[in-house]
Amino acid sequence: MSAVLMSESVPTLRAVPPLPEGARVRLRLTRRGRAVVSALVALPLIVGALVFALNGGGAIASGEQTHASFHYVTVQSGDSLWSVAERVAPSADPRDVIADLVSLNGLQSAVVTPGQQLAIPAKYEK
């Protein structure tokens, strides 16, 4: 009797029929498989972004302070940035001087008022 019980508990193996010629096996990706693939693709991007964010601030502030001193010119009545630029740097192109004055002084427009003090870029100092 033990032989009969033993033969009933052993699983039977079935032969898998061979695939026809030219047939392809289609693999399907499960939800968990898609999550794993997405994580594997995203991981290097996340690591790269973190490395860039942590190393992106390449400029290191030093404890030393440097003091920049500027020469200033006071805008007279009837002056424009063009006349100031010609007075400050007569040999330079006034358009370049005006662009430097606007940038250095943080002007919102090219309009100046009498009595306003403008810092002169070092390259135009006499």
Side-chain angles (χ1 to χ4, degrees):
M1 221 164 128
S2 65
V4 172
L5 288 178
M6 189 183 227
S7 65
E8 290 177 7
S9 64
V10 175
T12 58
L13 297 176
R14 288 184 282 151
V16 177
L19 291 175
E21 260 187 64
R24 290 183 156 179
V25 176
R26 184 168 183 237
L27 297 178
R28 285 190 279 161
L29 202 53
T30 62
R31 179 181 294 170
R32 189 168 83 182
R34 282 191 299 271
V36 169
V37 169
S38 298
L40 289 176
V41 169
L43 187 64
L45 297 174
I46 293 170
V47 169
L50 286 174
V51 167
F52 180 74
L54 295 177
N55 264 350
I60 299 174
S62 64
E64 300 173 20
Q65 293 183 358
T66 58
H67 296 285
S69 61
F70 295 103
H71 286 77
Y72 291 88
V73 65
T74 304
V75 177
Q76 303 299 321
S77 179
D79 272 347
S80 65
L81 273 181
W82 190 274
S83 62
V84 171
E86 287 179 331
R87 188 173 63 227
V88 169
S91 61
D93 184 4
R95 293 171 292 198
D96 294 335
V97 180
I98 290 171
D100 291 340
L101 287 170
V102 168
S103 174
L104 178 63
N105 291 287
L107 301 175
Q108 298 298 320
S109 68
V111 178
V112 290
T113 57
Q116 185 176 359
Q117 295 222 332
L118 298 174
I120 305 300
K123 64 182 175 182
Y124 301 122
E125 290 179 9
K126 296 177 184 178

